[in-house]
Amino acid sequence: KEWLSTRLKASIQHEYDRKLETFKTELKTQQELAILNIKTAVAREAAFHSAAHASFAEGQKASMERKLNAVDRLWGSVLQLRGGLPPVLTFMDVMTVDEYRGAKDHPTFRALTTDLTPEKLATLTVKSIEEARPFVGEYMWAVFFSYQAIFLRILFLLHLGRTDAEKIEWHKDTGTRGLIQAVLLPNELKAFDQLQFGKVSWLQQRLEAKILAAAQKVISGEAFGAESLEQAMLIQQGISRLSTDVPPR
């Protein structure tokens, strides 16, 4: 009986050991397979993210290139407009605001305003720049167009000033004044009003500085605040009000 019991125990132990080894082997195989599946999934996920990141980076690069090109084109338009402004503005800049009305019969003023016709002013308008608008943002676009509209308006008023002395006082013109108020900050407007001479160059430099500051924001990716967007809307409204008086673009 002892021999039979011993044999039975040994047989049971052997079968147990065999099944345990088989279970361990199967468990190890399953574990290795699970690890392989996890590694495959991780590699697939990493590849997906890498491709998505590469695509995003490429898109960002393309977007930045288009922004840079748009900013470059718009600033080139500023330089084009500045370069085309007639010398009568320099003449006005050396006069005090009290001397503006007396300019009507000044020989130099008469000579410099001879060709300030609506047709001539229309040639100063910057064309083929509309496609830059989505990439420079509404604020930069609005400041640029206010720059153009204000100076075209000033020249148009000087043209009318050949027969109407009041028109030469361009800084008092309702439409021009409204647009200047929309684009300048309150402290800037106060400084502008206090100037007795050099108003034209001061205004030109201030508007160009605003365009450059906006360009830096666009290039850096910094968002324009709600205040800037609201100001852009006011500028656009001011430009619209001038549309019936400024020569066609």
Side-chain angles (χ1 to χ4, degrees):
K1 289 175 67 174
E2 290 180 0
W3 177 82
L4 184 60
S5 176
T6 300
R7 290 294 303 268
L8 183 61
K9 288 180 180 179
S11 177
I12 293 173
Q13 182 65 42
H14 174 73
E15 185 66 19
Y16 173 79
D17 291 341
R18 186 181 67 81
K19 288 185 177 182
L20 180 61
E21 192 63 31
T22 301
F23 177 74
K24 286 181 178 180
T25 302
E26 290 177 352
L27 185 61
K28 183 179 180 181
T29 301
Q30 291 176 2
Q31 185 179 22
E32 290 176 348
L33 182 61
I35 292 173
L36 179 61
N37 289 337
I38 292 173
K39 287 182 177 180
T40 302
V42 170
R44 186 167 55 247
E45 188 73 12
F48 172 78
H49 283 293
S50 176
H53 178 74
S55 177
F56 177 76
E58 192 63 28
Q60 287 291 94
K61 180 182 177 182
S63 176
M64 178 53 67
E65 287 178 354
R66 298 188 76 171
K67 283 185 178 181
L68 291 174
N69 289 335
V71 168
D72 184 61
R73 288 197 59 196
L74 192 140
W75 180 247
S77 298
V78 171
L79 298 180
Q80 178 186 334
L81 178 60
R82 182 208 291 172
L85 294 175
V88 66
L89 294 178
T90 303
F91 174 75
M92 297 299 299
D93 228 21
V94 298
M95 302 179 67
T96 66
V97 292
D98 295 330
E99 295 172 334
Y100 277 0
R101 284 200 181 191
K104 174 179 174 296
D105 299 317
H106 195 290
T108 303
F109 177 82
R110 302 290 299 180
L112 293 176
T113 54
T114 300
D115 62 345
L116 289 184
T117 61
E119 292 74 22
K120 171 66 176 179
L121 297 183
T123 64
L124 298 177
T125 305
V126 177
K127 300 179 177 65
S128 302
I129 193 68
E130 184 75 26
E131 60 271 21
R133 185 173 184 174
F135 304 102
V136 299
E138 284 301 300
Y139 176 75
M140 186 176 180
W141 181 260
V143 176
F144 165 72
F145 259 82
S146 70
Y147 179 90
Q148 177 175 255
I150 287 171
F151 280 92
L152 288 179
R153 178 69 178 180
I154 292 173
L155 293 172
F156 183 54
L157 291 170
L158 295 182
H159 167 69
L160 298 178
R162 291 171 60 84
T163 56
D164 184 351
E166 290 187 3
K167 299 297 184 182
I168 301 178
E169 297 181 286
W170 56 271
H171 59 293
K172 294 182 179 180
D173 174 69
T174 303
T176 308
R177 176 76 182 181
L179 191 49
I180 291 174
Q181 284 179 317
V183 74
L184 294 183
L185 297 174
N187 63 314
E188 293 173 328
L189 183 62
K190 182 178 179 180
F192 172 76
D193 288 337
Q194 291 174 343
L195 290 172
Q196 292 303 304
F197 65 91
K199 278 185 176 291
V200 174
S201 59
W202 185 94
L203 185 59
Q204 182 179 11
Q205 291 168 9
R206 189 53 54 100
L207 293 179
E208 290 182 3
K210 286 182 177 292
I211 294 172
L212 286 174
Q216 291 176 354
K217 275 195 171 186
V218 172
I219 293 171
S220 68
E222 184 181 351
F224 289 96
E227 186 176 342
S228 294
L229 297 179
E230 183 179 350
Q231 190 177 11
M233 183 180 67
L234 293 176
I235 293 171
Q236 293 289 4
Q237 291 173 354
I239 294 172
S240 297
R241 284 193 292 269
L242 286 179
S243 62
T244 56
D245 296 326
V246 176
R249 296 176 182 178

